[in-house]
Amino acid sequence: AQSVTQPDIHITVSEGASLELRCNYSYGATPYLFWYVQSPGQGLQLLLKYFSGDTLVQGIKGFEAEFKRSQSSFNLRKPSVHWSDAAEYFCAVGAEYKLSFGAGTTVTVRA
Amino acid sequence: DSGVTQTPKHLITATGQRVTLRCSPRSGDLSVYWYQQSLDQGLQFLIQYYNGEERAKGNILERFSAQQFPDLHSELNLSSLELGDSALYFCASSAGQETQYFGPGTRLLVL
């Protein structure tokens, strides 16, 4: 069975600073990988996805993620954070007809 | 806006009661998924339907059931409700087995 670990429960970052959120997955084959964002009281919005090919994928809102098979990781990055990026971020593995989510990382942006 | 709609947005009910949550998938999507988000369990996959047929089952309680109708909308029925069933219930849809797009969720409070 697949599983996802997001080691950081909470990250605080200054506006304009860079952001990196970690994600490690466990799955026997190459999975489909996703990052979703959830703003307070909102649903889950897809930021980006990886199925195959180029291991560096670009998403919406200036986010990118890099798939590293050797490390079973799919870390999310943004070069310069905006106050509107404050939210909870979820990494997910897609396999066997379902998504398995990590516990999420809450991002706080300070002025 | 993902194109997935869920009703109602909020639901308050009492223990022992039964409720029905409704989901309309994005136009053209044949797959519907249900997830539960709670503070202690995180985001958990419940069940998936594809073109009216149950395809995958996750951690869904026997008190819960779902179905997908010929017009592809889906309903999640929760019965004999307990305090611990209070959660945010998400519906997602996809065209096949790839990217899932999430609705805004139904927040259920059981008193």
Side-chain angles (χ1 to χ4, degrees), chain A residues 44, chain B residues 1-5 26 93 101-104:
Chain A
L44 294 163
Chain B
D1 185 358
S2 67
V4 179
T5 60
R26 295 187 319 156
S93 75
Y101 294 90
F102 283 75

Side-chain angles (χ1 to χ4, degrees), chain B residues 27-80:
Chain B
S27 177
D29 284 358
L30 298 180
S31 286
V32 170
Y33 310 77
W34 287 97
Y35 292 83
Q36 180 194 59
Q37 184 179 34
S38 62
L39 285 176
D40 53 345
Q41 298 287 330
L43 272 159
Q44 298 279 321
F45 168 72
L46 295 178
I47 197 164
Q48 183 214 358
Y49 278 82
Y50 177 82
N51 202 21
E53 299 290 324
E54 181 185 306
R55 174 165 280 189
K57 222 169 189 178
N59 301 321
I60 188 166
L61 300 171
E62 285 192 14
R63 300 183 285 108
F64 296 1
S65 65
Q67 54 185 328
Q68 186 179 27
F69 295 87
D71 67 352
L72 301 177
H73 91 272
S74 178
E75 291 181 355
L76 180 66
N77 299 296
L78 315 176
S79 61
S80 302

Side-chain angles (χ1 to χ4, degrees), chain B residues 6 10 17 22 34 43 53-54 66 70 83 87 93 106-107:
Chain B
Q6 289 186 248
H10 301 278
Q17 294 298 304
R22 183 187 169 104
W34 287 97
L43 272 159
E53 299 290 324
E54 181 185 306
L83 296 178
S93 75
T106 293
R107 186 171 296 279

Side-chain angles (χ1 to χ4, degrees), chain A residues 32 34 36 38 41-46 49 51 88 90 95-103, chain B residues 9 33 35 37 43-45 48 55-56 58 88 90 97-105 107:
Chain A
Y32 298 154
F34 305 84
Y36 287 87
Q38 183 178 26
Q42 302 296 313
L44 294 163
Q45 182 182 23
L46 178 69
K49 59 189 177 186
F51 290 169
E88 190 162 17
F90 292 93
E96 299 167 5
Y97 305 111
K98 66 179 183 181
L99 291 176
S100 296
F101 286 88
Chain B
K9 191 168 185 176
Y33 310 77
Y35 292 83
Q37 184 179 34
L43 272 159
Q44 298 279 321
F45 168 72
Q48 183 214 358
R55 174 165 280 189
L88 191 51
F90 285 112
Q97 199 181 322
E98 337 64 46
T99 308
Q100 295 181 29
Y101 294 90
F102 283 75
R107 186 171 296 279

Side-chain angles (χ1 to χ4, degrees), chain A residues 10-77:
Chain A
H10 189 211
I11 285 180
T12 298
V13 61
S14 297
E15 193 169 15
S18 64
L19 174 68
E20 181 167 14
L21 304 182
R22 296 183 290 163
C23 171
N24 292 98
Y25 69 91
S26 173
Y27 185 60
T30 300
Y32 298 154
L33 294 163
F34 305 84
W35 276 98
Y36 287 87
V37 60
Q38 183 178 26
S39 299
Q42 302 296 313
L44 294 163
Q45 182 182 23
L46 178 69
L47 284 176
L48 47 76
K49 59 189 177 186
Y50 173 79
F51 290 169
S52 65
D54 192 347
T55 56
L56 185 63
V57 293
Q58 303 297 320
I60 62 171
K61 303 185 179 188
F63 285 92
E64 66 177 25
E66 186 171 13
F67 170 62
K68 292 186 177 179
R69 184 189 305 275
S70 61
Q71 298 176 19
S72 297
S73 70
F74 188 55
N75 294 348
L76 181 71
R77 298 192 293 255

